[in-house]
Amino acid sequence: MKVLVVNAGSSSIKYQVFNMEDESVLAKGLVDRVGIPGTTLEHKPIGKDEVIIKKDLPDHTAGMKLVLEVLTNSEYGVIKNMDEISAVGHRVVHGGESFAESVVIDDKVKKVIRDCFDIAPLHNPPNLMGIEACQELMPNVPHVAVFDTAFHQTMKPENYLYALPYDAYEKFKVRRYGFHGTSHFYVAHRAAEMLGKAYEDCKIITCHLGNGGSMAAIKDGQVIDTTMGFTPLEGLVMGTRSGDIDPAIVWFLMDKLGMNTSEANNYFNKKSGMLGLSGVSNDLRDVLEAANSGNERAKIALQVYYNKVKGYIGNYIAKLNGCDCIIFTAGVGENGYDVREAICSDMDYLGIKMDVEKNKVRGKEVDVSAADSKVRIFVVPTNEELVIARDTKRLAN
Ligand code: AMP
C-alpha cells in the first residue's frame, strides 16, 4: 500500500510518498511560492537524481497537479499511475476540541477545520486548500486529517484553562491547545521503546526544539501539559516568537510603537525570539557562532533560551512527580549538542546528568545520559510524516 502525505502551507506544499509495506520513503518534495511568481518544485525521488522545476502556478490545485505529474513521470517518477496511491494523509494544524485523533475527511470534518480558521488563521485555511485540491484530483481514495493539536487533547482543564473570565473559554474556546502533537507523539513512543517499558507506564518530557519549539509532559500515556497554548506563540523562546511574556507588554508596546493588532501579531511572532533578542538571526546556529565570537547580546539570548527550557523541565518534573526520560528532537534538539549540554547542565539535583562525550552527536537516535543519571536523556530524530502515513494507512483500512 502506498500513501501520499501532504503538508500544505499558505504558499507551499510539502509531500512524501511512503511504501507502507516497509514504511520506506519513495519520494519527497516541496512546491514553494505557490500563487507567487517564481514557483519552484524540488522533487527528490529516493535513489534517483533530484529534479527542480520552475513554473509559475496560480494555486494549490495547480501545485498538486504538478506534484502528481512528477510522481508519475516515466523518468523521475516513483509510481506508474495515481491508482497506486491508496490514501492521502493531510497535516492539519488545528482541530480545536473536536478531534483527539486522526479522522477520515468528510464534509463534517471540513466544517470543523473551517470553524477553526478564526483561531488558526495562518494554518488552517491553506491546510484546507491542500485537502480540497487533493480531493479534486484524487476523488476516489480516502483522505485523512492528522491534527497537530490532537495528541494534546488528553490535557485536563486544570492545565488547559487560562485564568480569564470563564466566558472566554465557553464563548470563544480560548484555552491551551498545544501544537507539534505528531512530533511529541512519535518521539515519546520511541522513547518508551528505548526505555524498554510500556508507553502507558512512562513519565516523559519531550523537547521539540526547532525554529518553532514546544515541550510536553506525558504520564500514563496522556499529555498532562504542553508549552504552546491557544496559539503557537506561548511557551519557549523560539526563532522569531517571544514565547511567554507578561501580556501587559502587548498593549504597552502597541501604544508606544503605534501598532495595530496585525502589526503586534507580526512583532511578537516574527520579530521577537532569538532574532529580536540577539539581533543576529532566528537561526540558532548563527546565534551560537556569534556568541562564540564574543557577541554579548547573542550570549544573553542563548541564556534566556536555555533558562526557559530548564524552567519547564523543572515545572514538568513537578507535575509528573518524577521523570523517566527527557527527549530532544527537531532541528536544534537533534543537532545542537552544545544547546542540549547547556540545558542539562547543573540539573543533577533533579537526577539529570548528561554524558557530554556521548552527547556530541547530530541527528541520531541515542541515549546521552550518564550511567548514574536517574533521568535518561535521549536524542530522537522526529518523523511527523511517518506518523501521518501510519494513521492514514490505519484509517484507510
Ligand atoms: P526545524 O524547525 O526543526 O527545521 O529546525 C530548524 C532549526 O534547527 C534552525 O533554526 C537551526 O537553528 C537549528 N539547527 C540546525 N542545526 C543546528 C545545530 N547544529 N546547532 C544548533 N541549531 C541547529
Side-chain angles (χ1 to χ4, degrees), residues 190-209:
R190 279 301 304 144
E193 285 171 28
M194 290 165 85
L195 287 168
K197 281 174 80 169
Y199 170 66
E200 290 74 18
D201 296 335
C202 299
K203 293 176 178 178
I204 298 172
I205 297 176
T206 47
C207 308
H208 176 111
L209 309 179

Side-chain angles (χ1 to χ4, degrees), residues 208-212 239 282-286 288 329-339 362 382 384:
H208 176 111
L209 309 179
N211 191 35
N282 65 308
D283 192 307
L284 219 75
R285 283 166 295 198
D286 300 339
L288 285 161
T329 193
V332 180
E334 290 166 26
N335 301 300
Y337 54 73
D338 24 16
V339 175
R362 298 192 201 278
T382 196
E384 291 159 283

Side-chain angles (χ1 to χ4, degrees), residues 205-256:
I205 297 176
T206 47
C207 308
H208 176 111
L209 309 179
N211 191 35
S214 68
M215 292 169 58
I218 299 157
K219 186 182 178 183
D220 303 331
Q222 308 218 312
V223 174
I224 303 298
D225 202 357
T226 188
T227 58
M228 282 180 166
F230 178 58
T231 75
L233 184 55
E234 194 183 349
L236 305 178
V237 177
M238 303 174 224
T240 59
R241 295 191 190 114
S242 64
D244 302 331
I245 53 165
D246 178 345
I249 295 168
V250 177
W251 51 90
F252 177 83
L253 285 180
M254 283 175 79
D255 194 29
K256 289 283 173 202

